């Protein structure tokens, strides 16, 4: 399997302390984010085994996976559907990928050479960790936070340090504690807004980490949920030429999780390092319906704003209900939030499933808490009604 890595890539990995045995594992991660996919499959299998036999997932209120409650913006979906009819070509117009890059660059005021598209953001997430971490340069993240990086680190024997979110400080990612926990890490991962809490890390904190991190380390800012919040993007740090990689996905606000499209945005020399293991293939093998749909979505500013406010209305309604019921939750700036049940979350999740509502998972550090995705207003009303039946005390 490691045969698929370039000679330069193999030499680089060995020089940075990866074992020969791990070369095949790196190839699996880069090939298609396989380590992450295996985890996803496991998580999916776990979710499925929790379903009573014969239960049809499409009949459930699905507020467990941070998907959007509705489909892609109709005008964008139309272009995606039209692209299907030209699916005999790798790139029907010869410039679909370039057009995606140009469109993102112009909407975000970024140099085009900083933008790299992918079939989702999972590949560049894992790839950044492969490239800038090693058995001697660890990964530091908040806890709880999105786990794809954890899985990659564990898979490749990269030291992993998880720093608890700070309850005294609005559960925001504690960048100073992250640097203290491992002053020699290869990657500091900040999910902003954070999954699962939806809490934001101020740009000043991210900037502080960038200014104080060790030389050659990367601050990886995962902005999967940024369109749902008003927090400023770390793209400005990329523009300034800092050691920052920003990730964007089309799976959340743009409702394209099943279509697969994402972007990494960073300095060209850093992208070049990320590509040295397997060339640029993974960035060129893009599903054209996703490229057509995603490119149009980026320009639909009014629809983005309207969808954000639709989500906020459903979230506010739910929070008002939780407050009325005296149920503890963490205020969120994204399309998800955490409820602290003050007792084990697993039986509560099962009870919701009996009500045909699939809520999200718990993180090992908070076994009494569940992540809830904000669905449509109707879905959140169904959630609140079920909650009243389940939590009677
Ligand atoms: C924070 C975060 N980053 C990345 C991803 C992966 O997204 P994609 O569908 O683009 O691979 C997810 C998916 O849930 C996520 O929550």
């Amino acid at each position: 399997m490691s045969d698929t890595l370039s000679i330069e890539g193999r030499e680089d990995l060995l020089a940075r302390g990866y074992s020969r045995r791990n070369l095949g594992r790196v190839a699996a991660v880069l090939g298609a984010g396989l380590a992450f996919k295996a985890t996803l499959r496991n998580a999916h299998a776990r979710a499925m085994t929790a379903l009573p036999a014969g239960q049809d997932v499409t009949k459930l209120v699905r507020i467990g996976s941070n998907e959007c409650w509705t489909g892609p913006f109709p005008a964008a979906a139309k272009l995606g559907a039209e692209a299907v009819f030209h699916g005999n070509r790798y790139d029907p117009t010869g410039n679909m990928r370039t057009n995606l890059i140009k469109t993102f660059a112009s909407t975000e005021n970024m140099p085009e050479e900083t933008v790299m598209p992918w079939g989702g953001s999972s590949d560049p997430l894992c790839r950044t960790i492969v490239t800038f971490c090693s058995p001697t340069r660890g990964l530091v993240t908040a806890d709880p936070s999105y786990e794809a990086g954890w899985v990659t680190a564990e898979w490749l024997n990269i030291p992993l340090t998880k720093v608890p979110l700070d309850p005294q400080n609005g559960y925001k990612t504690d960048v100073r504690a992250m640097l203290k926990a491992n002053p020699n890490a290869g990657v500091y991962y900040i999910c902003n807004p954070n999954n699962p809490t939806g809490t934001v890390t101020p740009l000043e904190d991210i900037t502080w980490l960038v200014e104080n991190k060790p030389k050659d380390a990367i601050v990886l800012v995962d902005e999967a949920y940024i369109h749902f919040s008003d927090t400023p993007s770390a793209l400005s740090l990329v523009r300034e030429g800092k050691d920052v990689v920003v990730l964007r996905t089309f799976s959340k606000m743009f409702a394209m999780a099943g279509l697969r499209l994402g972007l990494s945005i960073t300095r060209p020399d850093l992208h070049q390092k990320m590509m040295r293991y397997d060339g640029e293939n993974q960035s060129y093998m893009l599903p054209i319906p996703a490229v057509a749909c995603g490119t149009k979505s980026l320009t639909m500013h009014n629809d983005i704003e309207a969808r954000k406010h639709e989500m906020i209305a459903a979230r506010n309604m739910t929070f008002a209900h939780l407050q009325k019921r005296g149920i503890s939750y963490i205020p969120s700036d994204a399309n998800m939030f955490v409820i602290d049940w003050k007792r084990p979350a697993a039986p509560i999740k099962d009870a919701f499933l009996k009500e045909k509502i699939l809520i999200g998972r718990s993180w090992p550090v908070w076994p009494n808490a569940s992540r809830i995705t904000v669905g449509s207003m109707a879905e959140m009303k169904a959630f609140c009604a079920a909650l009243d039946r389940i939590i009677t005390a």
Side-chain angles (χ1 to χ4, degrees):
M1 181 116 197
S2 64
D3 291 356
T4 61
L5 297 178
S6 68
I7 293 173
E8 184 204 353
R10 266 184 282 168
E11 282 171 356
D12 162 72
L13 291 164
L14 292 171
R16 288 191 297 116
Y18 283 97
S19 67
R20 279 190 188 279
R21 194 175 148 263
N22 266 338
L23 295 188
R25 289 182 165 225
V26 168
V29 171
L30 297 180
L34 280 186
F36 174 55
K37 277 195 172 161
T39 321
L40 250 194
R41 264 202 305 278
N42 292 343
H44 186 67
R46 275 200 300 277
M48 289 301 123
T49 46
L51 296 180
Q55 180 128 36
D56 178 354
V57 73
T58 64
K59 300 277 184 328
L60 302 177
V61 170
R62 293 156 82 174
I63 49 173
S65 299
N66 287 356
E67 294 155 329
C68 193
W69 61 93
T70 186
F73 298 130
K78 188 163 175 285
L79 295 183
E82 281 165 14
V84 171
F85 292 98
H86 302 281
N88 54 317
R89 302 283 174 207
Y90 289 108
D91 184 344
T93 63
N95 64 6
M96 286 185 71
R97 180 178 179 277
T98 315
N99 197 23
L100 169 64
I101 293 171
K102 281 183 186 300
T103 305
F104 181 83
S106 72
T107 51
E108 298 285 357
N109 188 25
M110 295 301 293
E112 284 171 30
E113 59 273 19
T114 61
V115 184
M116 195 70 81
W118 305 91
S121 61
S122 300
D123 179 311
L125 199 170
C126 301
R127 183 179 290 269
T128 305
I129 291 166
V130 166
T131 309
F132 301 103
C133 291
S134 69
T136 57
R137 300 288 300 268
L139 169 67
V140 184
T141 83
D143 190 15
S145 191
Y146 186 55
E147 316 96 320
W150 305 358
V151 178
T152 308
E154 280 160 8
W155 172 254
L156 298 175
N157 299 328
I158 291 167
L160 172 63
T161 310
K162 300 182 202 165
V163 175
L165 293 178
D166 183 3
Q168 304 306 323
N169 207 355
Y171 292 96
K172 73 173 187 190
T173 301
D174 187 343
V175 293
R176 285 165 181 83
M178 282 171 73
L179 184 59
K180 203 165 155 204
N182 183 352
N184 188 38
V187 172
Y188 297 87
Y189 171 82
I190 299 175
C191 187
N192 200 30
N194 187 47
N195 179 1
T197 50
T199 46
V200 299
T201 308
L203 186 56
E204 305 87 75
D205 286 5
I206 299 174
T207 307
W208 180 89
L209 184 57
V210 171
E211 299 303 341
N212 289 280
K213 67 169 184 60
K215 189 173 170 300
D216 297 338
I218 292 295
V219 177
L220 174 58
V221 188
D222 187 340
E223 297 187 341
Y225 300 95
I226 197 143
H227 288 104
F228 289 108
S229 83
D230 291 325
T231 199
S233 167
L235 285 174
S236 54
L237 297 171
V238 175
R239 217 176 288 126
E240 290 164 19
K242 307 286 189 200
D243 297 329
V244 172
V245 177
V246 173
L247 300 177
R248 291 283 179 93
T249 180
F250 292 72
S251 299
K252 309 301 175 184
M253 169 59 82
F254 299 139
M256 292 172 50
L259 286 170
R260 310 308 302 144
L261 196 64
L263 299 170
S264 57
I265 306 101
T266 191
R267 270 194 346 247
D269 64 297
L270 299 179
H271 263 147
Q272 219 173 349
K273 284 190 172 174
M274 289 161 66
M275 303 307 210
R276 71 188 147 189
Y277 309 105
D278 57 350
E280 295 194 336
N281 277 353
Q282 297 298 330
S283 173
Y284 279 84
M285 290 193 275
L286 302 173
I288 58 161
V291 176
C293 184
T295 304
K296 176 71 179 167
S297 301
L298 288 171
T299 66
M300 300 182 67
H301 307 295
N302 293 341
D303 299 74
I304 293 170
E305 208 47 28
R307 187 170 279 183
K308 176 169 95 181
H309 285 289
E310 191 181 337
M311 184 283 295
I312 290 173
R315 194 179 63 198
N316 284 347
M317 183 282 295
T318 312
F319 284 176
H321 190 81
L322 295 175
Q323 276 166 28
K324 201 170 68 197
R325 294 290 322 271
I327 291 171
S328 170
Y329 67 92
I330 299 176
S332 157
D333 272 307
N335 63 327
M336 77 199 104
F337 59 93
V338 162
I339 292 185
D340 181 1
W341 305 110
K342 313 271 184 206
R343 54 190 159 108
I348 296 180
K349 182 170 176 166
D350 289 344
F352 272 103
L353 205 48
K354 289 206 179 79
E355 298 277 349
K356 297 207 173 338
I357 295 179
L358 186 56
I359 65 168
R361 59 187 181 273
S362 303
W363 268 247
V365 70
W366 290 349
N368 288 354
S370 302
R371 185 188 71 189
I372 314 291
T373 303
V374 181
S376 66
M377 183 64 90
E379 287 173 331
M380 297 320 284
K381 283 186 174 161
F383 166 77
C384 292
L387 181 135
D388 287 347
R389 289 190 288 274
I390 292 166
I391 313 283
T392 45

